[in-house]
Amino acid sequence: MNIVTQHIEPTEKDILYVSGVSVSFDGFKALNSLSLIVKEGEMRAIIGPNGAGKTTMMDVITGKVKPDTGDVLFKGSIDLTHHDEADIANLGIGRKFQKPTVIESLTVFENLELALAGPKGVFNSLFHRLSGLQRDTIHKTLETIALTEKVNELAGALSHGQKQWLEIGMLMIQEPDLLLVDEPAAGMTDHETEVTAELLKSITGQHSVVVVEHDMDFIKALESPVTVLHEGSVLAEGSLDAVQNNEKVIEVYLGR
Amino acid sequence: MTSIPKGPMLKFLTEDAGGKRLLIALAVLTVAVPFFNLAVPESSAFHVSTYTVALLGKYLCYGLLALAVDLIWGYCGILSLGHGAFFALGGYAMGMYLMRQIGDRGVYGNPLLPDFMVFLNWTELPWYWYGFDSFLFAMVMVALVPGLLAFLFGYLAFRSRVTGVYLSIITQALTYALMLAFFQNDMGFGGNNGLTDFKDILGFSLQEDSTKVALFAASGVVLILSYILCRYIVASKYGRILVAVRDAESRTRFMGYRVEHYKLFVFMLSAVLAGIAGALYVPQVGIINPGEFAPLYSIEIIIWVAVGGRGFLYGAVIGALVVNYAKTYFTAAFPEIWLFMLGGLFVLTTLFLPRGIVGLASDIKEKMLAKKVQKQADVKDEPVDTLPKASTEV
Ligand SMILES: Nc1ncnc2c1ncn2[C@@H]1O[C@H](COP(=O)(O)OP(=O)(O)OP(=O)(O)O)[C@@H](O)[C@H]1O
Ligand SMILES: [Mg+2]
């Protein structure tokens, strides 16, 4: 167990424990001693101006970027900085990209098939046959993300909002314990945004969810605690009302 | 025909309409060409000359090489500009077997050493030539040497996440370095003359028509089997993961797939297929020399695949056959312009036929189908009395 000096000790109940994480790109500090704890089954909304480091934080948690300093622990004891992306995915962390990323030249069904929880090795995939149960899971997910009619269409032919949903579906079918969702409502209509918020709320509890979003109506609909990032560290934390009335937060958002 | 079970086991073949047609054409070719060479008298207009048989056999080897390249480039986005190296290594392994078969029939009559070693005043066979007197051993090496090199190269490159242009450049450097090495006389592979003057294979004289026909048929059979293998792979879940790596590598990692393993396996398989193509090629052309490692040849393979259509498998084979037929024709008729034509062909394909010949064919088919549907819809819309012949139709 790592010795943590500046913060509380991580516990098993903390699905995600980020402490004193700094990342710099060519001298520019994208994350500056960032600390954040997400409890098991909790949903956390993260807001912050452009360039605040929200996506970089997800890059660190998912192993895409190695932090210069700091600890990132999963389920209280797994040090994520020692694992790569594929490992971390298999440990139970799923991620939706800021720019919706689906496999454009595969069908909607095939996208879900690949994301499906299960063995991910080369030889398994060479001889893999979908079981009836797995097919059912895919079809259930298709219903949840309202893409049943598009099942055999190429993912590249979907609208922007549908791609967002497909990616959320891929995330859910991966059955991670922790979901990191980067700007899920971008490019969605008001109605789609509402439905997406409902969808994410419905999976909270069984899963822990971290959502990054700029759309305040969406954040409001999530009814979850909010963390405000600014220049690579946490500026404020609390209910949406509380942070919206926080002077430092107002200054940062108005000062832009 | 109906005895073939049409269950899910063969779905990967039955769903591939273009590939099915190619396989049938290859099967017919593999049977018909030997027949028209051996059974039809030379005086007949239907006789296929032995020269043509050898030429077609060479094309089939190129088709296999293009198939190997399309597997990694078309499906996994790995643009190898050094696949000629694996082809040449397979060719050298076969060449070493053929050299050992010469025995004491060489110019110097040395029972153990190939002529070029005697010429260099070598007194014993280098250790890495041991075993090549056995056909079986040589065939294992045909697959093992390219496979092992691909493993080492791929392990290092894919683990360090070298992709795109950088990967292409180092594959090109790989084949260039091997070319320079094989040009060295002290390497023990015949220097710039390479390996040649082969006498026989498995006891059959390479000068005999029947041997040439057998080699042609073997190339056809191997191409057919390799196509079926590649098609199985791209139609499996593994194949879809390759496409995912090609389209969104990062996404694939976050789904939990270890991308470097996926790339490494397909890269090795592709190298082995290229090696087998080289091994079939050498006895049919009668020589293997370091020129086969030339970077230009590796780039030519990419042109075959691009012209035929990348990412269809059968497109690559068709591209290799078409471009090489054109090459044979033009290098004989207008030798000085062939390279310009090849370059022009590549530019034109990239600009106007991004999906190659077979992509164009499927686009045209779709358009005609759409038109037909449109026409039928028009016919239905029109009132019956304006169609005087309608009543005569059943
Ligand atoms: N790979 C990189 N190389 C250099 N700079 C980077 C890299 N990734 C991010 N940055 C920089 O780090 C800062 C934080 O970026 P990040 O993408 O995390 O912000 P964000 O909070 O997600 O912003 P947005 O709301 O616009 O998505 C930005 O200034 C960005 O330019
Ligand atoms: Mg971002």
Side-chain angles (χ1 to χ4, degrees):
Chain A
M1 181 68 65
N2 293 17
I3 300 158
V4 180
T5 44
Q6 69 260 59
H7 281 277
I8 342 140
E9 290 283 329
T11 71
E12 295 291 325
K13 284 273 169 242
D14 300 334
I15 188 120
L16 182 67
Y17 174 89
V18 177
S19 171
V21 166
S22 295
V23 171
S24 49
F25 298 111
D26 306 321
F28 171 76
K29 278 213 157 176
L31 291 183
N32 191 358
S33 193
L34 174 76
S35 300
L36 178 83
I37 291 176
V38 179
K39 297 246 174 274
E40 206 176 298
E42 183 193 0
M43 173 184 288
R44 177 70 57 89
I46 298 200
I47 60 172
N50 294 110
K54 305 179 295 293
T55 300
T56 307
M57 180 194 77
M58 292 197 170
D59 285 344
V60 168
I61 298 168
T62 53
K64 195 177 179 201
V65 168
K66 295 275 169 244
D68 303 332
T69 57
D71 295 309
V72 185
L73 300 183
F74 182 53
K75 295 182 177 172
S77 58
I78 305 166
D79 185 348
L80 293 179
T81 59
H82 291 158
H83 294 274
D84 66 6
E85 298 99 315
D87 258 351
I88 291 173
N90 290 318
L91 282 168
I93 298 183
R95 171 179 190 179
K96 197 203 87 61
F97 286 73
Q98 179 163 349
K99 176 179 175 288
T101 312
V102 293
I103 317 302
E104 308 235 328
S105 40
L106 294 180
T107 65
V108 168
F109 185 92
E110 290 168 336
N111 268 274
L112 291 171
E113 179 204 8
L114 293 196
L116 197 62
K120 299 283 162 87
V122 168
F123 287 95
N124 181 279
S125 72
L126 276 171
F127 305 107
H128 185 263
R129 295 250 171 279
L130 274 181
S131 70
L133 202 68
Q134 288 174 319
R135 267 175 208 285
D136 290 347
T137 312
I138 292 175
H139 285 292
K140 254 183 239 153
T141 306
L142 281 168
E143 268 172 43
T144 314
I145 56 175
L147 286 177
T148 303
E149 278 175 22
K150 306 271 179 184
V151 56
N152 289 321
E153 273 184 38
L154 292 184
L158 297 179
S159 73
H160 189 83
Q162 287 171 330
K163 279 184 195 165
Q164 294 274 39
W165 272 349
L166 176 56
E167 200 179 359
I168 292 171
M170 289 164 73
L171 198 58
M172 285 166 41
I173 209 167
Q174 200 179 320
E175 292 177 11
D177 300 313
L178 172 65
L179 289 81
L180 307 174
V181 193
D182 204 348
E183 303 202 13
M188 283 190 175
T189 63
D190 288 350
H191 175 68
E192 286 172 335
T193 304
E194 245 170 70
V195 177
T196 307
E198 283 309 312
L199 186 63
L200 290 176
K201 267 162 70 179
S202 73
I203 57 176
T204 308
Q206 278 178 321
H207 310 264
S208 316
V209 185
V210 174
V211 189
V212 165
E213 189 49 77
H214 287 291
D215 183 335
M216 282 304 160
D217 293 333
F218 179 79
I219 297 285
K220 196 169 178 186
L222 291 179
E223 299 171 327
S224 71
V226 177
T227 297
V228 187
L229 290 198
H230 177 55
E231 292 180 347
S233 42
V234 175
L235 186 70
E237 217 161 55
S239 70
L240 182 60
D241 279 342
V243 299
Q244 273 182 327
N245 293 317
N246 181 310
E247 271 178 32
K248 282 189 288 182
V249 176
I250 294 170
E251 200 176 306
V252 162
Y253 271 92
L254 292 181
R256 280 202 292 156
Chain B
M1 287 304 279
T2 47
S3 66
I4 299 170
K6 253 198 159 176
M9 289 298 287
L10 283 175
K11 224 172 101 190
F12 71 96
L13 282 182
T14 49
E15 274 178 352
D16 173 31
K20 233 171 17 186
R21 264 178 241 140
L22 176 76
L23 285 179
I24 292 169
L26 286 175
V28 170
L29 199 71
T30 305
V31 175
V33 167
F35 176 82
F36 286 104
N37 175 268
L38 297 174
V40 175
E42 253 171 75
S43 53
S44 161
F46 294 105
H47 177 76
V48 174
S49 72
T50 306
Y51 169 79
T52 309
V53 173
L55 195 64
L56 290 174
K58 201 172 89 169
Y59 292 169
L60 293 181
C61 297
Y62 289 149
L64 178 54
L65 180 55
L67 179 72
V69 167
D70 194 30
L71 186 64
I72 55 168
W73 185 37
Y75 290 85
C76 194
I78 301 171
L79 176 56
S80 167
L81 294 180
H83 247 53
F86 302 119
F87 180 82
L89 287 172
Y92 266 98
M94 175 61 102
M96 288 162 81
Y97 162 76
L98 296 173
M99 285 309 264
R100 297 291 308 268
Q101 292 309 293
I102 297 172
D104 59 7
R105 288 171 292 172
V107 179
Y108 297 108
N110 188 310
L112 191 62
L113 298 187
D115 277 349
F116 74 88
M117 292 186 193
V118 182
F119 185 75
L120 290 172
N121 292 322
W122 290 12
T123 50
E124 53 188 316
L125 201 64
W127 61 268
Y128 47 83
W129 275 76
Y130 290 168
F132 277 96
D133 50 332
S134 148
F135 182 74
L136 200 69
F137 178 85
M139 289 310 101
V140 170
M141 289 300 141
V142 160
L144 200 64
V145 173
L148 213 58
L149 178 67
F151 175 80
L152 285 176
F153 181 88
Y155 179 79
L156 295 172
F158 301 141
R159 205 187 47 153
S160 336
R161 304 201 179 172
V162 182
T163 53
V165 180
Y166 300 99
L167 186 76
S168 302
I169 290 172
I170 56 172
T171 54
Q172 180 107 104
L174 174 78
T175 196
Y176 188 64
L178 282 169
M179 179 178 75
L180 295 183
F182 274 73
F183 265 125
Q184 303 294 315
N185 279 330
D186 353 330
M187 274 281 284
F189 296 108
N192 60 350
N193 294 322
L195 309 176
T196 187
D197 293 329
F198 309 132
K199 300 279 189 265
D200 45 34
I201 182 169
L202 290 168
F204 299 100
S205 165
L206 284 167
Q207 308 311 316
E208 289 293 327
D209 284 3
S210 55
T211 312
K212 290 186 176 173
V213 165
L215 284 167
F216 163 85
S219 307
V221 170
V222 171
L223 179 55
I224 289 171
L225 293 178
S226 303
Y227 186 91
I228 293 173
L229 174 69
C230 290
R231 178 64 207 162
Y232 172 81
I233 285 178
V234 303
S236 72
K237 185 182 171 194
Y238 178 84
R240 291 190 282 284
I241 295 164
L242 289 185
V243 170
V245 171
R246 182 192 71 190
D247 286 3
E249 179 164 334
S250 210
R251 186 90 201 80
T252 316
R253 288 185 202 278
F254 290 122
M255 283 193 277
Y257 295 102
R258 202 158 285 283
V259 167
E260 49 276 23
H261 292 183
Y262 280 81
K263 285 184 176 176
L264 189 57
F265 177 80
V266 77
F267 192 65
M268 283 171 64
L269 179 67
S270 170
V272 169
L273 290 177
I276 294 172
L280 285 163
Y281 172 85
V282 166
Q284 300 190 71
V285 298
I287 183 167
I288 173 81
N289 64 34
E292 293 295 336
F293 286 105
L296 182 65
Y297 284 166
S298 291
I299 294 173
E300 261 189 56
I301 311 168
I302 298 300
I303 301 180
W304 306 341
V305 178
V307 168
R310 170 190 172 201
F312 296 92
L313 292 184
Y314 62 92
V317 179
I318 290 171
L321 302 184
V322 168
V323 176
N324 280 293
Y325 177 76
K327 183 176 181 173
T328 305
Y329 176 78
F330 284 104
T331 46
F334 319 96
E336 55 293 315
I337 64 160
W338 166 246
L339 269 184
F340 294 104
M341 285 201 48
L342 189 67
L345 194 64
F346 188 49
V347 173
L348 289 179
T349 325
T350 323
L351 289 180
F352 301 109
L353 289 180
R355 303 200 307 141
I357 297 173
V358 302
L360 178 73
S362 80
D363 286 350
I364 291 175
K365 213 168 114 189
E366 259 166 43
K367 254 191 204 143
M368 293 212 305
L369 213 70
K371 247 189 203 161
K372 214 167 155 190
V373 171
Q374 185 59 44
K375 247 190 199 153
Q376 277 170 353
D378 289 348
V379 169
K380 262 191 209 147
D381 287 346
E382 273 171 299
V384 184
D385 55 334
T386 62
L387 286 171
K389 278 183 190 163
S391 57
T392 60
E393 279 171 11
V394 186

